[in-house]
C-alpha cells in the first residue's frame, strides 16, 4: 500500500507527540480533523497504531496514540519509499 505525505507526517507526529489530540495533530500537519480521524481509524485497523485512554484525564475522550512495533517498522518502510519516490521525481526534473 502506498501512503501519502500527510500519513507519513501523521505517523512522525504521533511518534514524537503521542498525547496530542486529533485536532492538535490535524493542525500540526495541516490537514482537516475529519481526514485525521479517517487516517487514524485506518491505521488502527491495520495495527500500525493503538490508542490508550488517559487514566487521570478530566476529559473522558482523551487518548494517547502509540505506534505499535509493526507501526514503527511500517513508518520506517514508508518513509524510505517516500524519500525514494521524491528522489526519482527530482532526477526526472533534472533531466527535463
Amino acid at each position: 500500500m502506498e501512503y501519502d505525505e500527510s500519513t507519513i507526517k501523521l505517523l512522525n507526529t504521533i511518534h514524537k507527540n503521542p498525547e496530542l489530540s486529533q485536532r492538535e495533530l490535524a493542525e500540526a500537519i495541516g490537514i482537516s480533523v475529519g481526514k485525521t480521524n479517517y487516517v487514524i481509524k485506518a491505521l488502527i485497523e491495520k495495527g500500525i497504531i493503538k490508542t490508550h485512554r488517559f487514566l487521570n484525564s478530566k476529559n473522558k475522550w482523551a487518548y494517547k496514540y502509540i505506534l505499535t512495533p509493526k507501526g514503527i517498522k511500517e513508518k520506517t518502510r514508508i518513509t524510505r519509499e517516500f524519500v525514494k519516490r521524491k528522489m526519482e521525481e527530482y532526477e526526472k526534473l533534472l533531466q527535463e
Side-chain angles (χ1 to χ4, degrees):
M1 178 179 189
E2 191 171 303
Y3 295 91
D4 66 3
E5 188 172 353
S6 59
T7 304
I8 295 167
K9 287 180 181 179
L10 181 64
L11 287 172
N12 286 327
T13 304
I14 287 172
H15 187 71
K16 292 175 187 170
N17 303 297
E19 296 177 3
L20 292 180
S21 68
Q22 286 189 14
R23 181 169 307 284
E24 292 167 328
L25 288 167
E27 289 173 4
I29 62 174
I31 62 173
S32 71
V33 176
K35 182 173 181 179
T36 301
N37 181 272
Y38 178 82
V39 173
I40 285 174
K41 284 182 179 182
L43 293 171
I44 290 169
E45 287 176 13
K46 292 181 179 286
I48 294 173
I49 62 172
K50 61 183 178 179
T51 61
H52 285 285
R53 285 188 188 222
F54 290 118
L55 296 177
N56 298 326
S57 176
K58 293 178 185 177
N59 178 358
K60 293 182 181 180
W61 296 103
Y63 287 98
K64 182 176 188 177
Y65 300 100
I66 301 168
L67 269 71
T68 62
K70 176 183 176 181
I72 292 169
K73 288 179 187 175
E74 189 69 4
K75 180 177 94 65
T76 302
R77 183 188 70 77
I78 63 176
T79 301
R80 196 175 311 127
E81 285 180 8
F82 178 77
V83 170
K84 180 182 174 188
R85 195 168 59 243
K86 289 298 179 183
M87 292 299 290
E88 289 170 356
E89 290 174 11
Y90 177 75
E91 292 297 325
K92 285 181 184 177
L93 286 173
L94 285 178
Q95 290 175 2
E96 292 176 6

